[in-house]
Amino acid sequence: MNVAFCGNYHLTNPEKIQQWLNDILPALIENGAENFYLTNYGDFDYLAAAAVLLQKSAYKHINSILVPVCLHTPYKRELYDRIFNPFWQGEAKRISIRKLLIDKSQVVIAEMIQDEACLRRALRYAQKRRRLILQYPFYSVG
């Protein structure tokens, strides 16, 4: 099973979100999650990458896959097992990176404390694609 992460660039309370991620990831992994697709867009992405890395100590088979948001955005290499660059693969023509992640995944883990239009659109897209959405905090994106 593949899992994608979508969240805000800046976080106001990262400790609660980190705890939430640490609570939900083991259950997902035990139910078949193996590949975790992450971007390097901002705070939530780095929290998610760190949470996946923490789980690797107990679940060696899982993969942390970076999907960079653009060719020259810096990232912390030690957080990822490999890089899937849609620009190199020819998959990033006119589709957003978030939509690409959602298309590759069965589960979307989302954080939406600050209401951002592009994040809201991505979650609506995930709903249309019938993906399981685990959202912090929970509320309707419709």
Side-chain angles (χ1 to χ4, degrees), residues 69-83:
V69 293
C70 70
L71 290 174
H72 305 292
T73 303
Y75 63 93
K76 299 174 183 174
R77 179 69 180 111
E78 66 275 8
L79 293 175
Y80 310 99
D81 296 310
R82 66 179 190 261
I83 298 171

Side-chain angles (χ1 to χ4, degrees), residues 87-105:
F87 300 99
W88 299 333
Q89 307 294 332
E91 292 191 37
K93 303 257 187 226
R94 297 191 65 103
I95 188 169
S96 79
I97 296 297
R98 283 183 172 151
K99 284 185 176 181
L100 180 68
L101 294 179
I102 291 165
D103 286 342
K104 289 190 166 299
S105 301

Side-chain angles (χ1 to χ4, degrees), residues 13-32:
N13 198 343
E15 297 81 17
K16 286 186 179 181
I17 297 165
Q18 187 74 58
Q19 185 58 52
W20 176 71
L21 289 169
N22 292 339
D23 290 344
I24 65 170
L25 287 178
L28 279 172
I29 296 166
E30 290 169 11
N31 283 290

Side-chain angles (χ1 to χ4, degrees), residues 102 117 119-130 133 141-142:
I102 291 165
L119 184 53
R120 201 170 49 248
R121 280 193 303 273
L123 294 179
R124 278 197 213 111
Y125 180 77
Q127 285 178 329
K128 287 179 188 174
R129 302 284 297 166
R130 301 185 192 278
I133 300 171
V141 296

Side-chain angles (χ1 to χ4, degrees), residues 41-83:
Y41 180 67
D43 293 347
F44 179 72
D45 296 309
Y46 285 116
L47 278 182
V52 172
L53 182 63
L54 180 67
Q55 297 304 317
K56 284 186 73 68
S57 62
Y59 305 98
K60 306 262 189 251
H61 67 285
I62 64 174
N63 299 297
S64 177
I65 304 164
L66 171 64
V67 182
V69 293
C70 70
L71 290 174
H72 305 292
T73 303
Y75 63 93
K76 299 174 183 174
R77 179 69 180 111
E78 66 275 8
L79 293 175
Y80 310 99
D81 296 310
R82 66 179 190 261
I83 298 171

